[in-house]
Amino acid sequence: MDFINALVALTNFVIIPATAYGAQLALGALGVTLIFSVLRFSNFAHGDTMAFGAMVTILVTWGLQGMGVGFGPLPTALLALPVGIAVTAALLLLTDRVVYRFYRQQRAAPVILMIVSMGVMFVMNGIVRFIIGVDDQRFADGERFVISARTFREMTGLAEGLAFRTTQAVTIVTAIIAVALLFWFLNRTRTGKSMRAFSDNEDLALLSGINPDRVVLITWLIVGALATTAGVLYGLDKSFQPFTYFQLLLPVFAAAIVGGFGNPVGAIAGGFVIAFSEVTVTYAWRKVLGYLGPADWQPDGLVQLLTTDYKFAVSFIILVVVLIFRPTGLFRGGMS
């Protein structure tokens, strides 16, 4: 019985949170990967794009809540998400036309575009902070739990409870749907195949009659959808604070690089590697070890390698190790 309690505690505090967090990082890393594969630069403004999309969704959510519109047991933010995606995609297209397009026409080096994206990052960060402020914003509503710890204990008779939050369930299900739609689009539609061809060999794709402007437009639309969805899911699961999304850029890029920069499958795998690493290293293992140890025994201290304040340091360490020993990441190759 103690082993089952230990397994439940591990599931409650490590497996479920890490799975939800990994899904959020995977969606963010997919956006970074698409930009790198198709537009050929590292977009440092991606974290603040996530923040902008989440901000728009929050504002629309508040408006819907003020009108008494809800989504039953699910968060109202899911109703507002399409609006957030549309506004974010429009901002990205405007930014591309005003900023990135000039450098693309000049065939500027990728490092120039990367530096330009840093300028865009600061502008977008300032816009988000100016509109919604710098404090935490909680916008989750509906049912709080799919199953609560008390209900689980009553059902099973175990000492340890298992709580599965609605936001975690929504995150996992939404991420699965988004990833499935993306891979279907890239592999089954003519436009998706054009994007893959453009990513593999731009010159050959142009000779084949592929319209580069259309490829760029579709890429930004997909990136806007992925970034907004990732930002909203992260905000629902935790809370929304603009600076947090600036920090989130590190694990998102780490996920993309660990999986293999430019590889969508690698981005998903990298997201879960980073998430499980962060959660596992910062989890206090005292309770689990207490269940697995001798009777009436508890280890001294929390048995925690790092506090949660240093969770982003885990991403940085993994990133450095991968760049030194396997710079190609877990999966080599591009989008094909």
Side-chain angles (χ1 to χ4, degrees):
M1 190 66 73
D2 283 343
F3 174 78
I4 297 177
N5 280 316
L7 184 61
V8 170
L10 187 66
T11 302
N12 196 27
F13 295 106
V14 176
I15 296 177
I16 291 177
T19 301
Y21 182 39
Q24 296 151 15
L25 291 184
L27 290 177
L30 277 171
V32 169
T33 293
L34 281 178
I35 294 175
F36 181 81
S37 298
V38 179
L39 305 183
R40 293 176 176 80
F41 74 96
S42 300
N43 183 21
F44 275 58
H46 194 72
D48 288 289
T49 303
M50 293 167 59
F52 182 87
M55 177 199 71
V56 174
T57 303
I58 291 171
L59 295 177
V60 176
T61 299
W62 288 344
L64 291 174
Q65 291 171 344
M67 293 185 293
V69 177
F71 201 17
L74 298 176
T76 308
L78 294 179
L79 293 176
L81 182 59
V83 179
I85 290 174
V87 175
T88 304
L91 176 67
L92 291 177
L93 291 176
L94 177 64
T95 304
D96 181 74
R97 179 170 290 274
V98 174
V99 181
Y100 296 123
R101 188 178 185 182
F102 169 79
Y103 294 96
R104 196 164 54 248
Q105 290 174 342
Q106 301 299 316
R107 290 193 172 272
V111 67
I112 300 298
L113 283 164
M114 182 188 72
I115 294 171
V116 170
S117 74
M118 294 178 68
V120 174
M121 172 187 72
F122 290 120
V123 172
M124 293 182 69
N125 188 277
I127 291 173
V128 172
R129 293 187 183 204
F130 178 78
I131 293 176
I132 204 168
V134 298
D135 298 326
D136 280 348
Q137 306 289 348
R138 298 187 180 275
F139 59 105
D141 57 1
E143 292 293 334
R144 187 177 180 186
F145 293 103
V146 175
I147 183 170
S148 66
R150 176 182 294 179
T151 302
F152 183 85
R153 281 194 293 264
E154 292 174 352
M155 290 171 52
T156 61
L158 295 172
E160 192 66 35
L162 177 66
F164 190 26
R165 299 201 310 273
T166 304
T167 53
Q168 293 171 328
V170 167
T171 292
I172 295 169
V173 173
T174 305
I176 291 173
I177 294 172
V179 169
L181 288 175
L182 175 63
F183 278 87
W184 172 83
F185 175 81
L186 291 176
N187 292 292
R188 299 295 181 182
T189 66
R190 185 175 180 179
T191 304
K193 293 176 181 178
S194 298
M195 289 176 60
R196 292 169 57 198
F198 189 86
S199 170
D200 290 341
N201 191 318
E202 181 179 350
D203 294 330
L204 184 60
L206 295 177
L207 290 174
S208 301
I210 293 175
N211 185 346
D213 292 333
R214 177 178 171 81
V215 170
V216 171
L217 183 145
I218 297 298
T219 301
W220 282 120
L221 291 178
I222 295 175
V223 168
L226 289 171
T228 303
T229 304
V232 170
L233 293 177
Y234 185 86
L236 283 173
D237 193 32
K238 280 83 174 175
S239 66
F240 176 85
Q241 188 177 31
F243 187 70
T244 302
Y245 288 81
F246 176 79
Q247 294 176 316
L248 201 61
L249 187 64
L250 174 59
V252 166
F253 262 86
I257 293 171
V258 167
F261 220 7
N263 190 307
V265 175
I268 297 170
F272 286 100
V273 168
I274 294 296
F276 272 87
S277 299
E278 284 190 8
V279 175
T280 301
V281 171
T282 57
Y283 175 60
W285 290 88
R286 185 174 188 270
K287 179 181 287 188
V288 172
L289 294 177
Y291 281 124
L292 296 177
D296 300 325
W297 174 83
Q298 286 286 347
D300 296 331
L302 295 176
V303 195
Q304 188 178 26
L305 296 176
L306 289 174
T307 66
T308 54
D309 293 334
Y310 294 96
K311 69 175 184 176
F312 291 135
V314 179
S315 303
F316 180 75
I317 293 170
I318 294 174
L319 179 60
V320 171
V321 171
V322 169
L323 288 175
I324 292 174
F325 295 102
R326 191 179 175 85
T328 57
L330 298 175
F331 297 85
R332 298 183 181 182
M335 292 177 61
S336 296

